[in-house]
Amino acid sequence: MGAALMHTGYYFGFFLAAAANYFIGSRFGWRYMFMVGGAPALFVGFIRNNVEEPARWEKKITQLDKESGHKWGMHNAFLELFSPRYRRRTILNSLYLIVSLVGLWAGSVYVPAAITYIAQRVGRSAADAARMASYSTALLGMATVLGAVIVPLIADRIGRRITLGIFYAVMGLSIFVAFGRVFYLQAHALEWFLVSAFFLGLGGANFIVYSFWLPEQYSTECRASAFAFTTNIGRFAAAFFTLLVGAGVRHFETLGVPVAMTASAFVIGILLLPFGVETKGQPLPT
């Protein structure tokens, strides 16, 4: 639960970004927003400089590796992810993260752009459209925080894989409905898209599952490396999908259809989930 709640900081950031855009971006422009957005990086640097490594890890790196006779290093932790013990789950976990990131980048990230377009289409001013985009981003962030609170409770009751599957389904269906249907409504599109933004945010809580599921699958010496690798390798693939969405927008000359098509990634993710490792009630690997 603690890791899941800590993970909500990312989505509180969505809410704060929406507030900053409402009070700063919509009035003073993107340059001032850029300055505000860069400020937290300094705080992150301060935190990183004062974080100490776990004692168990410090002990591990002073020991000699049984096979090589050398001290355990960063490269050993990385290579361990692809050892016979972990190779299968590393590949699957990376694929799961790709699915989630496709939904985040090709779905949720386009919510402000879609809201802005719909608002201007129905006659709202540019300033009003920017404020509506802020509302949608804040709503999405609050829904994800709500999801983050309930995800650990569901996962402890029915398991990690089923919980992830449920939130995959919510996210995929929300993307399809929001961008494939609501985006093209002639009446009340703005109101219904805001409703869709809430469910997009709720489905986005699928990321919370990884905050406790991934560490439960790996031993101490490679747990952090596994989390870092699987949560970041997917960003390269997701970036490719974002380029595809851009190409789709150019081809279809509309935003809705290409983004709606990314919902198919969640179908693939649901089909892959039975092959993952269920860790509910299992002790951490040693």
Side-chain angles (χ1 to χ4, degrees):
M1 174 68 83
L5 291 177
M6 182 175 64
H7 197 79
T8 62
Y10 179 85
Y11 302 100
F12 273 114
F14 268 101
F15 180 79
L16 294 176
N21 184 63
Y22 181 87
F23 291 106
I24 299 174
S26 63
R27 300 181 183 182
F28 304 106
W30 68 269
R31 291 179 177 83
Y32 288 91
M33 273 295 295
F34 187 82
M35 293 173 59
V36 172
L42 300 176
F43 184 58
V44 171
F46 171 78
I47 294 176
R48 176 66 182 86
N49 188 56
N50 290 276
V51 171
E52 296 182 359
E53 295 287 356
R56 192 171 179 179
W57 169 251
E58 294 286 358
K59 181 180 179 181
K60 177 66 180 180
I61 61 177
T62 60
Q63 297 175 344
L64 296 179
D65 183 65
K66 295 180 180 179
E67 296 183 2
S68 65
H70 300 293
K71 289 184 178 181
W72 184 274
M74 186 181 297
H75 68 284
N76 299 100
F78 177 76
L79 293 176
E80 183 68 14
L81 305 182
F82 301 95
S83 66
R85 182 184 182 187
Y86 292 127
R87 185 185 303 119
R88 175 189 172 99
R89 64 184 65 179
T90 297
I91 294 173
L92 284 170
N93 289 333
S94 298
L95 292 174
Y96 298 147
L97 261 299
I98 289 173
V99 170
S100 294
L101 286 165
V102 167
L104 176 66
W105 289 5
S108 302
V109 169
Y110 281 102
V111 167
I115 284 286
T116 300
Y117 173 81
I118 295 172
Q120 292 179 335
R121 189 181 70 192
V122 298
R124 298 290 186 95
S125 66
D128 283 342
R131 294 188 185 96
M132 294 303 298
S134 298
Y135 293 151
S136 67
T137 304
L139 185 63
L140 189 146
M142 288 187 292
T144 306
V145 171
L146 174 62
V149 174
I150 64 175
V151 159
L153 303 177
I154 299 174
D156 283 342
R157 181 174 293 272
I158 64 176
R160 281 59 170 145
R161 293 181 301 183
I162 296 178
T163 301
L164 186 57
I166 291 172
F167 282 86
Y168 269 179
V170 172
M171 189 69 169
L173 186 61
S174 298
I175 290 175
F176 179 78
V177 171
F179 290 92
R181 303 295 180 183
V182 175
F183 185 80
Y184 297 103
L185 290 178
Q186 296 302 311
H188 307 295
L190 194 59
E191 293 83 352
W192 281 113
F193 205 94
L194 287 172
V195 173
S196 300
F198 175 85
F199 286 99
L200 278 167
L202 191 63
N206 67 78
F207 278 96
I208 307 302
V209 177
Y210 302 120
S211 65
F212 50 85
W213 191 33
L214 292 178
E216 291 173 347
Q217 298 183 48
Y218 297 90
S219 55
T220 301
E221 60 267 21
C222 64
R223 185 171 294 134
S225 296
F227 193 92
F229 176 80
T230 55
T231 55
N232 285 286
I233 191 64
R235 298 179 187 275
F236 294 97
F240 173 73
F241 277 96
T242 303
L243 291 176
L244 287 181
V245 171
V249 171
R250 181 177 181 181
H251 175 76
F252 292 103
E253 298 183 348
T254 180
L255 176 66
V257 171
V259 177
M261 292 173 65
T262 64
S264 59
F266 291 95
V267 177
I268 297 174
I270 291 172
L271 294 176
L272 289 174
L273 279 175
F275 301 99
V277 177
E278 179 55 68
T279 58
K280 176 179 176 292
Q282 300 296 320
L284 287 175
T286 58

mmCIF file of all heavy atoms in Angstrom, residues 241-262:
data_model
loop_
_atom_site.group_PDB
_atom_site.id
_atom_site.type_symbol
_atom_site.label_atom_id
_atom_site.label_comp_id
_atom_site.label_asym_id
_atom_site.label_seq_id
_atom_site.Cartn_x
_atom_site.Cartn_y
_atom_site.Cartn_z
ATOM 1 N N PHE A 241 4.934 4.139 -30.870
ATOM 2 C CA PHE A 241 3.478 4.145 -31.054
ATOM 3 C C PHE A 241 2.944 5.575 -31.138
ATOM 4 O O PHE A 241 1.990 5.846 -31.861
ATOM 5 C CB PHE A 241 2.801 3.388 -29.912
ATOM 6 C CG PHE A 241 2.758 1.908 -30.110
ATOM 7 C CD1 PHE A 241 3.725 1.098 -29.540
ATOM 8 C CD2 PHE A 241 1.759 1.320 -30.863
ATOM 9 C CE1 PHE A 241 3.699 -0.283 -29.726
ATOM 10 C CE2 PHE A 241 1.711 -0.051 -31.065
ATOM 11 C CZ PHE A 241 2.693 -0.857 -30.491
ATOM 12 N N THR A 242 3.562 6.481 -30.383
ATOM 13 C CA THR A 242 3.141 7.878 -30.448
ATOM 14 C C THR A 242 3.399 8.453 -31.833
ATOM 15 O O THR A 242 2.588 9.222 -32.368
ATOM 16 C CB THR A 242 3.887 8.709 -29.389
ATOM 17 O OG1 THR A 242 3.647 8.139 -28.099
ATOM 18 C CG2 THR A 242 3.397 10.146 -29.380
ATOM 19 N N LEU A 243 4.534 8.062 -32.431
ATOM 20 C CA LEU A 243 4.813 8.485 -33.801
ATOM 21 C C LEU A 243 3.772 7.918 -34.764
ATOM 22 O O LEU A 243 3.352 8.587 -35.710
ATOM 23 C CB LEU A 243 6.216 8.030 -34.214
ATOM 24 C CG LEU A 243 7.391 8.737 -33.520
ATOM 25 C CD1 LEU A 243 8.709 8.109 -33.946
ATOM 26 C CD2 LEU A 243 7.391 10.224 -33.833
ATOM 27 N N LEU A 244 3.352 6.670 -34.506
ATOM 28 C CA LEU A 244 2.320 6.070 -35.342
ATOM 29 C C LEU A 244 1.002 6.830 -35.218
ATOM 30 O O LEU A 244 0.280 7.001 -36.207
ATOM 31 C CB LEU A 244 2.112 4.598 -34.959
ATOM 32 C CG LEU A 244 3.203 3.608 -35.373
ATOM 33 C CD1 LEU A 244 2.818 2.197 -34.931
ATOM 34 C CD2 LEU A 244 3.424 3.639 -36.884
ATOM 35 N N VAL A 245 0.694 7.254 -33.995
ATOM 36 C CA VAL A 245 -0.523 8.046 -33.802
ATOM 37 C C VAL A 245 -0.432 9.345 -34.599
ATOM 38 O O VAL A 245 -1.397 9.756 -35.256
ATOM 39 C CB VAL A 245 -0.753 8.352 -32.308
ATOM 40 C CG1 VAL A 245 -1.884 9.360 -32.132
ATOM 41 C CG2 VAL A 245 -1.094 7.065 -31.558
ATOM 42 N N GLY A 246 0.747 9.986 -34.553
ATOM 43 C CA GLY A 246 0.926 11.205 -35.330
ATOM 44 C C GLY A 246 0.748 10.970 -36.824
ATOM 45 O O GLY A 246 0.108 11.771 -37.524
ATOM 46 N N ALA A 247 1.301 9.839 -37.302
ATOM 47 C CA ALA A 247 1.123 9.492 -38.715
ATOM 48 C C ALA A 247 -0.346 9.210 -39.021
ATOM 49 O O ALA A 247 -0.853 9.555 -40.097
ATOM 50 C CB ALA A 247 1.978 8.284 -39.067
ATOM 51 N N GLY A 248 -1.036 8.589 -38.046
ATOM 52 C CA GLY A 248 -2.459 8.313 -38.227
ATOM 53 C C GLY A 248 -3.289 9.583 -38.284
ATOM 54 O O GLY A 248 -4.242 9.677 -39.064
ATOM 55 N N VAL A 249 -2.930 10.549 -37.450
ATOM 56 C CA VAL A 249 -3.636 11.839 -37.472
ATOM 57 C C VAL A 249 -3.484 12.494 -38.839
ATOM 58 O O VAL A 249 -4.444 13.047 -39.398
ATOM 59 C CB VAL A 249 -3.102 12.764 -36.359
ATOM 60 C CG1 VAL A 249 -3.662 14.169 -36.508
ATOM 61 C CG2 VAL A 249 -3.456 12.205 -34.984
ATOM 62 N N ARG A 250 -2.282 12.403 -39.385
ATOM 63 C CA ARG A 250 -2.047 12.990 -40.711
ATOM 64 C C ARG A 250 -2.823 12.233 -41.786
ATOM 65 O O ARG A 250 -3.383 12.849 -42.697
ATOM 66 C CB ARG A 250 -0.557 12.960 -41.016
ATOM 67 C CG ARG A 250 -0.201 13.575 -42.373
ATOM 68 C CD ARG A 250 1.297 13.570 -42.586
ATOM 69 N NE ARG A 250 1.649 14.180 -43.860
ATOM 70 C CZ ARG A 250 2.900 14.295 -44.311
ATOM 71 N NH1 ARG A 250 3.905 13.841 -43.573
ATOM 72 N NH2 ARG A 250 3.127 14.853 -45.479
ATOM 73 N N HIS A 251 -2.870 10.906 -41.648
ATOM 74 C CA HIS A 251 -3.552 10.095 -42.671
ATOM 75 C C HIS A 251 -5.069 10.279 -42.618
ATOM 76 O O HIS A 251 -5.709 10.512 -43.644
ATOM 77 C CB HIS A 251 -3.200 8.622 -42.480
ATOM 78 C CG HIS A 251 -3.946 7.698 -43.396
ATOM 79 N ND1 HIS A 251 -3.628 7.560 -44.733
ATOM 80 C CD2 HIS A 251 -5.013 6.863 -43.173
ATOM 81 C CE1 HIS A 251 -4.446 6.704 -45.300
ATOM 82 N NE2 HIS A 251 -5.290 6.257 -44.375
ATOM 83 N N PHE A 252 -5.634 10.177 -41.413
ATOM 84 C CA PHE A 252 -7.086 10.277 -41.266
ATOM 85 C C PHE A 252 -7.576 11.722 -41.177
ATOM 86 O O PHE A 252 -8.785 11.968 -41.232
ATOM 87 C CB PHE A 252 -7.547 9.516 -40.022
ATOM 88 C CG PHE A 252 -7.398 8.023 -40.117
ATOM 89 C CD1 PHE A 252 -6.360 7.371 -39.471
ATOM 90 C CD2 PHE A 252 -8.298 7.260 -40.843
ATOM 91 C CE1 PHE A 252 -6.223 5.993 -39.546
ATOM 92 C CE2 PHE A 252 -8.173 5.890 -40.929
ATOM 93 C CZ PHE A 252 -7.121 5.250 -40.283
ATOM 94 N N GLU A 253 -6.629 12.646 -40.977
ATOM 95 C CA GLU A 253 -6.952 14.063 -40.823
ATOM 96 C C GLU A 253 -7.915 14.303 -39.655
ATOM 97 O O GLU A 253 -8.802 15.146 -39.710
ATOM 98 C CB GLU A 253 -7.536 14.632 -42.127
ATOM 99 C CG GLU A 253 -6.564 14.567 -43.289
ATOM 100 C CD GLU A 253 -7.118 15.192 -44.548
ATOM 101 O OE1 GLU A 253 -8.335 15.467 -44.594
ATOM 102 O OE2 GLU A 253 -6.333 15.415 -45.487
ATOM 103 N N THR A 254 -7.707 13.553 -38.605
ATOM 104 C CA THR A 254 -8.498 13.689 -37.381
ATOM 105 C C THR A 254 -7.725 13.062 -36.232
ATOM 106 O O THR A 254 -6.908 12.157 -36.442
ATOM 107 C CB THR A 254 -9.868 13.011 -37.512
ATOM 108 O OG1 THR A 254 -10.598 13.185 -36.284
ATOM 109 C CG2 THR A 254 -9.727 11.532 -37.793
ATOM 110 N N LEU A 255 -7.975 13.535 -35.028
ATOM 111 C CA LEU A 255 -7.279 13.011 -33.849
ATOM 112 C C LEU A 255 -7.952 11.770 -33.287
ATOM 113 O O LEU A 255 -7.281 10.843 -32.805
ATOM 114 C CB LEU A 255 -7.232 14.099 -32.769
ATOM 115 C CG LEU A 255 -6.630 13.703 -31.414
ATOM 116 C CD1 LEU A 255 -5.153 13.395 -31.566
ATOM 117 C CD2 LEU A 255 -6.838 14.826 -30.394
ATOM 118 N N GLY A 256 -9.275 11.695 -33.345
ATOM 119 C CA GLY A 256 -10.021 10.672 -32.629
ATOM 120 C C GLY A 256 -9.717 9.250 -33.042
ATOM 121 O O GLY A 256 -9.379 8.397 -32.199
ATOM 122 N N VAL A 257 -9.820 8.936 -34.326
ATOM 123 C CA VAL A 257 -9.671 7.558 -34.799
ATOM 124 C C VAL A 257 -8.295 6.964 -34.476
ATOM 125 O O VAL A 257 -8.202 5.853 -33.937
ATOM 126 C CB VAL A 257 -9.963 7.469 -36.313
ATOM 127 C CG1 VAL A 257 -9.591 6.089 -36.856
ATOM 128 C CG2 VAL A 257 -11.444 7.744 -36.570
ATOM 129 N N PRO A 258 -7.184 7.661 -34.788
ATOM 130 C CA PRO A 258 -5.875 7.063 -34.486
ATOM 131 C C PRO A 258 -5.668 6.772 -33.009
ATOM 132 O O PRO A 258 -5.099 5.736 -32.649
ATOM 133 C CB PRO A 258 -4.884 8.124 -34.986
ATOM 134 C CG PRO A 258 -5.642 8.919 -35.979
ATOM 135 C CD PRO A 258 -7.051 8.952 -35.482
ATOM 136 N N VAL A 259 -6.115 7.684 -32.145
ATOM 137 C CA VAL A 259 -5.954 7.447 -30.710
ATOM 138 C C VAL A 259 -6.844 6.295 -30.262
ATOM 139 O O VAL A 259 -6.433 5.447 -29.460
ATOM 140 C CB VAL A 259 -6.266 8.722 -29.904
ATOM 141 C CG1 VAL A 259 -6.177 8.437 -28.406
ATOM 142 C CG2 VAL A 259 -5.296 9.842 -30.285
ATOM 143 N N ALA A 260 -8.062 6.240 -30.778
ATOM 144 C CA ALA A 260 -8.975 5.150 -30.419
ATOM 145 C C ALA A 260 -8.396 3.793 -30.788
ATOM 146 O O ALA A 260 -8.614 2.799 -30.083
ATOM 147 C CB ALA A 260 -10.326 5.356 -31.106
ATOM 148 N N MET A 261 -7.628 3.736 -31.863
ATOM 149 C CA MET A 261 -7.040 2.477 -32.303
ATOM 150 C C MET A 261 -6.011 1.935 -31.329
ATOM 151 O O MET A 261 -5.756 0.728 -31.296
ATOM 152 C CB MET A 261 -6.408 2.662 -33.688
ATOM 153 C CG MET A 261 -7.422 2.905 -34.797
ATOM 154 S SD MET A 261 -6.656 3.323 -36.391
ATOM 155 C CE MET A 261 -5.786 1.797 -36.765
ATOM 156 N N THR A 262 -5.428 2.804 -30.489
ATOM 157 C CA THR A 262 -4.442 2.331 -29.517
ATOM 158 C C THR A 262 -5.080 1.476 -28.424
ATOM 159 O O THR A 262 -4.365 0.798 -27.678
ATOM 160 C CB THR A 262 -3.702 3.511 -28.859
ATOM 161 O OG1 THR A 262 -4.630 4.303 -28.100
ATOM 162 C CG2 THR A 262 -3.036 4.385 -29.903
#
